[in-house]
Amino acid sequence: MILASGSPRRLELLRQMGFSPVVRPANIDETPRPGESPTDLVLRLARQKARACEKGLPEKLLGQVVIAADTTVWIDGLELGKPHDDEDARAMLTRLSGRTHHVSTGVCMLAPAGEASFVETSSVTFFELSPDQIDAYVQSGEPRDKAGSYGIQGRGRLLVSGIEGDYFNIVGLPVARLARELDALVGEDAGGEASVVCGALRGEPCLGR
């Protein structure tokens, strides 16, 4: 398996499933297109990352499954990317305070059998945050490289009053659905012994016989 992402969180989630991915990040232009919805954006970027990664593979890696993903935080139809600076982070956290927002991850998989992609969306509700709480979190430095200016797997968990949907999708990779989509892509019975789901549950995932 090849992971077309430099995200340490995605790498760790795949390792927890039992995979040992080769990491080959794909550098593409991630600028949203005019009028593009957050879900359309992450799906397009995941597909472009997967194809760019596959195109640049050395011969010894050809034929392996390529997985690419892109995650965004959005509210009121507005995508919240990584903050430009601490003031931008404060503004994002103020917007999210006491409200429910959405986290969408686009995933694309390329295999010898073909290509498949999907979008998973989870909802996150924040507590009402005081200015002091926002300042304290911004001062921690954690928001600086996080979409939406928070990381649910870190100190940002203290901001969250509830979630709906897949927690790991919020972290950056919806692994349960990914395993099932891989089964469909490589042609395995999701309930069979050789399936990705069964293999991952044993700690010995397999991408086809």
Side-chain angles (χ1 to χ4, degrees):
M1 175 186 288
I2 297 166
L3 177 61
S5 170
S7 166
R9 293 169 294 279
R10 292 185 182 123
L11 176 60
E12 181 58 26
L13 288 173
L14 288 173
R15 284 176 172 168
Q16 288 173 5
M17 292 173 66
F19 288 110
S20 299
V22 175
V23 177
R24 292 185 66 90
N27 296 315
I28 63 169
D29 181 1
E30 300 188 21
T31 305
R33 293 172 178 170
E36 190 172 34
S37 71
T39 52
D40 286 344
L41 172 66
V42 293
L43 185 60
R44 176 175 63 84
L45 294 182
R47 287 169 173 165
Q48 289 182 353
K49 289 177 181 179
R51 293 164 187 166
C53 175
E54 185 182 54
K55 186 176 180 180
L57 289 178
E59 186 174 353
K60 65 180 181 179
L61 295 178
L62 293 176
Q64 293 198 35
V65 173
V66 176
I67 295 179
D70 192 82
T71 301
T72 192
V73 175
W74 56 282
I75 189 170
D76 301 326
L78 175 67
E79 182 201 6
L80 303 182
K82 296 177 182 179
H84 302 298
D85 51 33
D86 286 353
E87 285 306 310
D88 194 25
R90 287 188 181 89
M92 287 189 194
L93 292 167
T94 299
R95 178 188 285 269
L96 298 177
S97 174
R99 300 184 62 195
T100 298
H101 62 274
H102 310 286
V103 182
S104 294
T105 300
V107 179
C108 182
M109 302 156 289
L110 302 180
E115 174 181 330
S117 55
F118 65 91
V119 176
E120 186 76 13
T121 298
S122 303
S123 298
V124 182
T125 301
F126 270 17
F127 288 104
E128 291 281 354
L129 307 178
S130 70
D132 285 345
Q133 290 170 345
I134 292 174
D135 283 342
Y137 185 49
V138 170
Q139 289 168 17
S140 77
E142 187 172 272
R144 291 174 187 161
D145 66 341
K146 305 291 192 301
S149 297
Y150 78 97
I152 197 170
Q153 73 281 1
R155 293 184 179 94
R157 72 189 68 184
L158 299 177
L159 313 178
V160 177
S161 66
I163 68 171
E164 182 177 349
D166 185 346
Y167 165 81
F168 296 103
N169 178 58
I170 303 166
V171 176
L173 195 65
V175 289
R177 182 170 176 185
L178 172 63
R180 287 159 174 80
E181 296 282 349
L182 283 170
D183 273 329
L185 180 61
V186 300
E188 294 292 348
D189 177 359
E193 185 177 345
S195 76
V196 175
V197 175
C198 289
L201 289 170
R202 291 191 303 268
E204 302 172 347
C206 176
L207 293 173
R209 294 186 176 87

